[in-house]
Amino acid sequence: MSTSTTAVHNNNKACCTIPPVHSNYTPKGAYKPFGQFNRVYVTGPDSSENAIVCIYDIFGFFPQTQQGADIIASTLKTTVYMPDFFEPDPPFPAENFPPKSDKDKAELQAFFGTTANPSAAVTKLTAFARDLKTLGRKRISAYGFCWGGKVTLVSGGENTPFSSVAIVHPAMLSADDAKKLTVPLGIYISKDEPISEYEKILLLLEKKPFSAQNDHKNYSNMFHGWAAARGNLENAENKKEFEDVYSKLVEFFHKTLF
């Protein structure tokens, strides 16, 4: 296991230096009921005034995704919540992705239309953030992967409860969603997302009143899923970029949440 750290280029080095990333990882948080969810992965100090919500990818809870949440929580000294958006249903089977047969493709589309319906998840996410505010959290941000990226981006529109949102290798990426943003966005894509939509979003972000707070990076050497459930942290390049994107997320949230 590596014991290296990745420093973020930020004035607050102590705040923005992530802990070691491990290929074999045991999550540090715990599952608790909160709001409308029976199961929420919670990591970080209970006493933090602010909070960050993670929206996992279609494979649900995975050690790689939870390690990322633990990194953000411990580095920023804030609580990170990862609700089980698919409960009571199971996540999409990792062994069926990417879909190869017509049957597999149909099952994936059915999953997006039911268990992982983006509109329903946006409603749940917004309600969860408002529940956190009733708990006393003053400012809340969110980040999401794959399907969760779509949900997170849409949740940053008018009347959003979030101070900022970030998306990593997002599915269903659309510049139309970015047009409605009212808070800063961090966007980090892989080679598998549509570069045309990404470039349109960057142009839109330049015109927003919060343009100086936005952040972005194209990880053109990475595949869809490298920073979450499909990440292979045994692979040196994947591990390096995993460290890099979580450094970027830490820096982005340090700038927009605190």
Side-chain angles (χ1 to χ4, degrees):
M1 294 183 184
S2 170
T3 56
S4 64
T5 59
T6 299
V8 175
H9 298 295
N10 185 291
N11 291 334
N12 193 335
K13 185 177 179 182
C15 175
C16 296
T17 302
I18 72 169
V21 169
H22 300 283
S23 57
N24 297 309
Y25 187 75
T26 301
K28 293 181 170 60
Y31 294 99
K32 302 176 183 179
F34 184 80
Q36 64 187 298
F37 295 99
N38 294 316
R39 209 164 97 145
V40 180
Y41 179 75
V42 183
T43 181
D46 291 332
S47 59
S48 63
E49 291 187 344
N50 300 330
I52 299 172
V53 184
C54 173
I55 302 86
Y56 54 35
D57 58 24
I58 61 173
F59 307 115
F61 296 117
F62 249 77
Q64 297 94 312
T65 316
Q66 290 167 308
Q67 181 171 187
D70 291 347
I71 286 169
I72 291 172
S74 64
T75 310
L76 291 175
K77 305 296 187 293
T78 193
T79 317
V80 176
Y81 297 83
M82 190 187 304
D84 188 357
F85 281 91
F86 300 153
E87 65 180 26
D89 298 325
F92 192 78
E95 62 271 18
N96 292 354
F97 191 91
K100 298 174 181 65
S101 66
D102 289 342
K103 179 176 178 290
D104 289 344
K105 291 175 183 176
E107 287 177 350
L108 179 59
Q109 291 307 313
F111 182 76
F112 281 129
T114 54
T115 301
N117 181 280
S119 296
V122 169
T123 300
K124 290 179 183 178
L125 175 58
T126 302
F128 186 81
R130 297 210 161 99
D131 286 339
L132 286 174
K133 290 203 169 180
T134 64
L135 187 66
R137 306 301 191 210
K138 293 181 179 178
R139 289 165 62 84
I140 304 168
S141 291
Y143 67 104
F145 306 91
C146 175
W147 159 89
K150 174 73 170 183
V151 174
T152 305
L153 182 57
V154 174
S155 298
E158 189 175 358
N159 298 319
T160 181
F162 297 109
S163 297
S164 61
V165 293
I167 57 178
V168 185
H169 45 73
M172 300 168 278
L173 186 63
S174 170
D176 287 339
D177 294 334
K179 286 179 184 176
K180 301 169 186 174
L181 277 172
T182 59
V183 293
L185 173 70
I187 176 170
Y188 312 102
I189 69 165
S190 76
K191 63 182 177 64
D192 295 321
E193 282 79 60
I195 191 68
S196 59
E197 290 300 305
Y198 173 70
E199 290 173 346
K200 288 177 189 175
I201 288 172
L202 295 188
L203 288 174
L204 287 167
L205 292 177
E206 288 177 1
K207 300 172 184 176
K208 296 285 187 179
F210 44 80
S211 60
Q213 293 181 289
N214 298 316
D215 190 41
H216 62 89
K217 183 170 180 177
N218 178 3
Y219 290 83
S220 58
N221 60 328
M222 284 290 104
F223 56 93
H224 180 82
W226 101 90
R230 295 177 68 217
N232 177 11
L233 300 182
E234 300 278 344
N235 177 277
E237 186 176 25
N238 192 155
K239 180 175 176 292
K240 173 178 172 290
E241 300 297 37
F242 185 96
E243 291 176 336
D244 187 80
V245 78
Y246 280 99
S247 291
K248 298 281 283 181
L249 285 166
V250 163
E251 183 176 19
F252 174 71
F253 289 132
H254 181 257
K255 180 170 61 175
T256 59
L257 184 62
F258 294 89

